[in-house]
Amino acid sequence: MTDKDRSAFIPPCIPTLVEKPPEGDRWAHEIKYDGYRTQIHLIGRNVYGYTRNGHDWSNKYGSVLVAARETIRCDAILDGEMVVQDETGRSDFKKLATAIRWENASLLFYAFDLLWVDGNDLRKVRCEERRFRLEILLGPPRPDTPIQFSQSFEGSGAEFFGAVERMGLEGIVSKRRASIYRSGPSKDWLKTKAYMTGEFVVIGYERKRGEAPSLLLAEGTDSKLRYVGRAIPAIPQAQRDELWKALESLHTSHFATPIGAGNKAAVPVQPVLKVMAKHLRGEEKLRHATVVDILTP
């Protein structure tokens, strides 16, 4: 049996999205980092890095994995988030793919759980105990290493979320301190995400019977648009009537950018109308998006 066979990938625990964080001393809260969910396996002399879906990305995370082996002297499995930060210290999802390919040394791994250590499966151990052991394993905070511990806050979830939102971060994850680690969707881990507003170009729309009408939005320049998802108009009725009238005058035969499968009922329009849309921060595609204003051309 090889070192790699001794510890198979563990499907991760997936937090449930909620409108507001839980309160009470049964919960601890952490910053939700905007990156790629990553599992690091340290087995013997070898170190492996896996994506959320279990793909082996060890060759993409070289600098971080070397640092993990230097920091951690035992066999272990760490759950965390791979990120790259901007000049203000915020995780920058848009720069992550480029950093993985060309700037490996800029990657950071925020470890937030310890699933296995020296042959012992810790998934049945309380969350707060697993995190305590993880913090001890990583040692005192060091700014010169890409392996960092995700610190927790144990006060008011609402206050912590408010502070995180004011800092322009993606949101928080709240974890039940006594919970065990279960793979798959979990209500012992809850994520509360901040909203942001951005400017987008309307490239089409859908008006299906029995469903709320939606706009298909893209971002970028006129010469290079990228489809980002749908948004439901949340504007006064008079403004909505003007919107549909304007869109009908902009009908065209094809979309300005590919919109993917599942949009057979969508009507393409010329990409000239711009809107302001409110959506969840830190998502590659728009989620829970609503149009809040129509911008004058």
Side-chain angles (χ1 to χ4, degrees):
M1 181 179 293
T2 67
D3 284 341
K4 193 172 182 179
D5 293 332
R6 286 161 51 196
S7 177
F9 171 76
I10 298 171
C13 179
I14 307 298
T16 299
L17 180 65
V18 294
E19 290 294 323
K20 58 183 181 180
E23 296 290 350
D25 57 9
R26 294 183 301 169
W27 297 88
H29 316 278
E30 303 168 46
I31 290 173
K32 186 184 184 305
Y33 296 98
D34 192 5
Y36 291 163
R37 185 73 175 271
T38 301
Q39 202 171 101
I40 291 182
H41 291 223
L42 300 104
I43 310 297
R45 296 181 179 179
N46 298 314
V47 190
Y48 307 95
Y50 296 98
T51 68
R52 169 176 167 158
N53 295 318
H55 300 297
D56 188 342
W57 276 25
S58 303
N59 62 331
K60 300 178 185 288
Y61 294 151
S63 62
V64 174
L65 300 186
V66 168
R69 183 74 286 176
E70 292 173 350
T71 302
I72 301 169
R73 299 299 181 179
C74 60
D75 289 358
I77 297 177
L78 279 59
D79 190 5
E81 195 87 359
M82 194 73 71
V83 306
V84 64
Q85 294 178 328
D86 62 19
E87 59 278 1
T88 67
R90 298 188 187 97
S91 50
D92 190 334
F93 184 82
K94 291 183 178 180
K95 293 182 179 180
L96 185 53
T98 300
I100 289 173
R101 186 171 183 181
W102 302 111
E103 302 172 10
N104 209 249
S106 67
L107 296 176
L108 294 172
F109 176 74
Y110 277 93
F112 50 65
D113 216 323
L114 181 63
L115 310 186
W116 189 89
V117 64
D118 278 341
N120 298 309
D121 188 340
L122 303 183
R123 285 175 289 175
K124 300 295 185 182
V125 175
R126 291 166 59 102
C127 179
E128 60 182 355
E129 174 64 18
R130 296 195 310 271
R131 284 181 47 78
F132 174 76
R133 294 178 67 167
L134 173 62
E135 188 172 16
I136 296 298
L137 189 67
L138 296 180
R142 290 173 46 199
D144 61 335
T145 177
I147 307 296
Q148 299 290 326
F149 177 68
S150 176
Q151 298 287 342
S152 62
F153 176 82
E154 299 183 4
S156 164
E159 289 182 8
F160 184 58
F161 177 70
V164 164
E165 192 172 27
R166 288 191 294 273
M167 289 189 288
L169 302 179
E170 182 185 357
I172 68 172
V173 176
S174 305
K175 298 175 182 176
R176 199 183 300 273
R177 295 166 55 156
S179 64
I180 63 174
Y181 191 97
R182 293 186 177 91
S183 297
S186 172
K187 292 188 177 180
D188 289 325
W189 288 21
L190 305 176
K191 61 181 178 182
T192 312
K193 301 192 70 172
Y195 281 86
M196 64 182 297
T197 301
E199 181 178 311
F200 301 93
V201 179
V202 181
I203 61 169
Y205 65 88
E206 278 192 2
R207 300 182 78 173
K208 294 181 180 179
R209 185 184 299 274
E211 296 183 13
S214 61
L215 303 184
L216 278 62
L217 305 182
E219 65 177 0
T221 64
D222 293 339
S223 61
K224 190 177 181 181
L225 292 172
R226 181 178 70 89
Y227 173 65
V228 293
R230 306 162 182 258
I232 296 173
I235 50 180
Q237 186 62 51
Q239 198 176 13
R240 218 177 308 175
D241 292 341
E242 293 179 6
L243 168 66
W244 296 123
K245 185 177 180 180
L247 290 176
E248 287 173 0
S249 70
L250 294 172
H251 284 183
T252 184
S253 60
H254 63 279
F255 282 99
T257 183
I259 62 172
N263 297 84
K264 295 182 179 179
V267 178
V269 300
Q270 299 173 42
V272 297
L273 184 64
K274 294 184 178 181
V275 299
M276 294 296 293
K278 181 181 178 183
H279 58 96
L280 285 177
R281 179 180 286 147
E283 297 283 347
E284 189 173 5
K285 296 287 187 181
L286 297 183
R287 289 192 61 199
H288 297 261
T290 55
V291 172
V292 296
D293 197 12
I294 309 298
L295 302 179
T296 303

